[in-house]
């Protein structure tokens, strides 16, 4: 068992939900995932100007917004028009998760979020490869990737990166599970207004990442690289991506 403590990865920026370094995760070779490459968070839409300035001072020069087109048009990302930041919107949700009548949300009335993650992996693999190639090539400064709460879509991308680096299943699940803890004050009022069969969609229950990792294990022998190659990434691109955090 590792002594991984996700609390050590937290970064507190004013009004920025669930912001964390990917660095500090124990990975293969008795190493730690390096700091200063990737950050994950919730959407910076509600962040104060000072928080956004602090993010840039921290080193953020690339932002990948994983929200749907509906979300991104409704709550415009403050980095979209920032000339100092390379901004990308690559949706990992088709539709609008804020609508309980959205087909995916209706699906989640009777399924775990982990089942949605499997659909995401199956149906949006080309987009996931595009995200990974941005993380591969944007080496000037830190890349921040986020969704709405930094929990689901963000959690799947983080899990894939950690699998590539050789993190343990146990630690990946823990890294995912604390998302709700870190966003609890924001999420609990939203949960209170949700239908009972949708309340779970605003948590990060361990079973969700277990389902996701079980799928990658059954289909790709727990090899995230095989998953990316199967969805269009070249072997050279994969090796270049891995070299960013396995040196």
């Amino acid at each position: 068992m590792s002594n991984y403590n996700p609390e050590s990865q937290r970064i507190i920026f004013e009004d920025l939900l669930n912001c964390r370094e990917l660095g500090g995760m124990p990975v293969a070779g008795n190493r730690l995932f390096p700091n200063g490459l990737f950050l994950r968070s919730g959407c910076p839409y509600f962040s104060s100007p000072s928080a956004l300035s602090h993010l840039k001072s921290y080193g953020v020069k690339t932002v990948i917004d994983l929200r749907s087109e509906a979300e991104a048009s409704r709550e415009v990302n403050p980095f979209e028009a920032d000339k100092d930041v390379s901004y990308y919107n690559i949706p990992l949700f088709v539709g609008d998760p804020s609508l309980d009548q959205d087909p995916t949300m209706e699906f989640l009335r009777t399924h775990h979020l982990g089942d949605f993650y499997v659909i995401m992996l199956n149906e949006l693999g080309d987009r996931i490869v595009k995200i990974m190639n941005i993380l591969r090539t944007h080496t000037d400064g830190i890349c921040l990737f986020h969704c709405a709460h930094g929990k689901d879509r963000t959690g799947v991308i983080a899990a894939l990166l950690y699998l590539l680096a050789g993190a343990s299943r146990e630690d990946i699940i823990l890294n995912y599970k604390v998302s709700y803890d870190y966003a609890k004050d924001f999420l609990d009022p939203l949960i209170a207004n949700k239908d009972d069969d949708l309340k779970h969609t605003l948590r990060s229950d361990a079973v969700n990442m277990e389902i996701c990792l079980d799928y990658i294990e059954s289909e790709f022998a727990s090899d995230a690289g095989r998953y990316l190659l199967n969805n269009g990434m070249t072997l050279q691109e994969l090796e270049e991506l891995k070299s960013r955090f396995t040196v």
Side-chain angles (χ1 to χ4, degrees):
M1 178 180 295
S2 79
N3 58 358
Y4 168 57
N5 177 13
E7 187 68 24
S8 67
Q9 298 174 293
R10 289 189 76 183
I11 303 173
I12 307 300
F13 286 118
E14 181 186 358
D15 302 323
L16 183 60
L17 196 66
N18 196 13
C19 185
R20 290 183 263 164
E21 259 279 1
L22 263 71
M25 167 72 80
V27 295
N30 198 30
R31 299 176 301 105
L32 296 177
F33 197 101
N35 285 310
L37 296 180
F38 311 131
L39 295 183
R40 56 177 293 177
S41 75
C43 179
Y45 173 74
F46 296 104
S47 298
S48 67
S50 63
L52 300 175
S53 177
H54 287 154
L55 269 176
K56 291 169 65 175
S57 297
Y58 192 80
V60 171
K61 292 192 175 181
T62 303
V63 173
I64 307 174
D65 187 339
L66 309 177
R67 296 176 301 156
S68 68
E69 293 179 5
E71 293 171 280
S73 63
R74 182 171 55 246
E75 297 175 347
V76 177
N77 196 303
F79 288 113
E80 184 174 356
D82 192 320
K83 61 181 177 58
D84 298 322
V85 173
S86 297
Y87 170 80
Y88 301 87
N89 178 213
I90 306 176
L92 292 184
F93 191 104
V94 178
D96 189 346
S98 70
L99 302 177
D100 289 352
Q101 298 77 28
D102 181 275
T104 299
M105 301 309 294
E106 290 290 354
F107 171 81
L108 288 171
R109 290 183 185 274
T110 54
H111 292 78
H112 291 291
L113 277 167
D115 298 311
F116 161 63
Y117 302 164
V118 171
I119 292 172
M120 185 194 312
L121 289 168
N122 271 322
E123 298 186 359
L124 301 178
D126 58 335
R127 300 185 187 187
I128 290 173
V129 167
K130 184 175 181 180
I131 291 161
M132 292 297 178
N133 274 326
I134 293 171
L135 298 177
R136 172 180 66 88
T137 58
H138 285 56
T139 58
D140 178 23
I142 293 173
C143 295
L144 167 69
F145 58 93
H146 73 84
C147 50
H149 307 130
K151 178 173 70 71
D152 302 306
R153 294 159 283 188
T154 298
V156 169
I157 296 300
L160 289 171
L161 289 168
Y162 284 146
L163 281 173
L164 286 174
S168 73
R169 175 187 174 97
E170 175 188 32
D171 288 345
I172 292 172
I173 292 171
L174 178 56
N175 177 267
Y176 166 80
K177 186 174 180 291
V178 297
S179 283
Y180 167 70
D181 299 326
Y182 295 161
K184 189 175 187 295
D185 290 345
F186 181 85
L187 293 175
D188 277 353
L190 303 180
I191 290 172
N193 289 322
K194 280 284 188 187
D195 294 345
D196 287 347
D197 55 3
L198 285 175
K199 291 182 186 296
H200 72 99
T201 64
L202 292 171
R203 301 194 304 265
S204 56
D205 301 335
V207 64
N208 300 320
M209 187 52 64
E210 291 169 0
I211 291 169
C212 182
L213 296 178
D214 285 346
Y215 168 77
I216 297 172
E217 178 181 2
S218 65
E219 297 297 319
F220 303 98
S222 297
D223 186 343
R226 281 180 57 185
Y227 166 77
L228 294 171
L229 292 171
N230 193 62
N231 283 279
M233 179 172 267
T234 69
L235 183 59
Q236 180 177 338
E237 289 169 344
L238 176 62
E239 292 305 316
E240 288 176 358
L241 173 62
K242 292 170 67 174
S243 72
R244 295 210 63 196
F245 44 80
T246 57
V247 175

